Amino acid sequence: MSRIYWDTMLFIYWLEGHPVFAKRVDEIHRRMEERHDQLITGAFTLGEVLAGPYRKAAAERVDDVRRLLRNVVAEIIPFTIETADRYAQIRGTLHVSPADAIHLASAAQVGTDLFLTNDRQLLGRVVPGIHFIATLDTQLL
């Protein structure tokens, strides 16, 4: 069993049925369930995922998304003072975007086996607390 952190885009691809990536994300999720892996993500992800339905004033969709996340995510990581310190270290040394730094800091804070993203710029980054960073096209699971 592994702890696998998904960044925001994986959830958005999945929820919106992205024509290219939704099927791959669904395959990954099914494989994770077979392996009994834990899907984790940060509270920041929830905010980013809900921004679209709020922008469209779709209250019913907001409730659907919240319900789905509660059902599939084993742990939603809060942004704490400790996470903020990790965020600052990551922003100061890796020169990644603020959003990426928040995700990486959240994943690192709780110890993550695999950080899954579709952002190729994160490949090869070394973040203490994260064992491996991969993109959707990496055949890991």
Side-chain angles (χ1 to χ4, degrees):
M1 174 175 62
S2 296
R3 291 171 54 81
I4 302 174
Y5 185 103
W6 283 14
D7 83 359
T8 301
M9 288 312 299
L10 277 70
F11 289 102
I12 291 174
Y13 295 152
W14 204 25
L15 291 165
E16 294 183 359
H18 189 279
V20 176
F21 300 116
K23 182 178 177 186
R24 176 68 177 136
V25 173
D26 193 50
E27 289 169 2
I28 290 168
H29 184 259
R30 271 188 273 136
R31 183 70 180 123
M32 287 175 61
E33 285 184 325
E34 290 170 5
R35 293 168 29 106
H36 302 286
D37 293 327
Q38 288 183 318
L39 173 55
I40 62 175
T41 198
F44 181 61
T45 300
L46 183 61
E48 288 190 304
V49 170
L50 291 176
Y54 274 119
R55 191 176 305 114
K56 296 173 186 169
E60 193 172 298
R61 182 69 176 147
V62 169
D63 291 339
D64 290 343
V65 169
R66 280 191 189 127
R67 203 171 9 265
L68 173 76
L69 291 177
R70 274 194 297 266
N71 288 332
V72 299
V73 176
E75 182 179 359
I76 296 179
I77 302 145
F79 194 82
T80 64
I81 292 171
E82 292 81 13
T83 313
D85 188 64
R86 284 184 188 254
Y87 165 84
Q89 291 172 21
I90 291 166
R91 280 286 287 156
T93 60
L94 295 183
H95 310 291
V96 297
S97 73
D100 287 339
I102 291 170
H103 285 297
L104 291 168
S106 297
Q109 185 64 33
V110 297
T112 298
D113 298 304
L114 173 63
F115 181 95
L116 198 54
T117 182
N118 207 28
D119 187 345
R120 295 186 146 300
Q121 294 179 356
L122 297 180
L123 289 176
R125 305 292 181 142
V126 176
V127 179
I130 301 174
H131 291 260
F132 192 70
I133 298 173
T135 58
L136 286 175
D137 57 356
T138 305
Q139 297 299 319
L140 291 173
L141 303 174

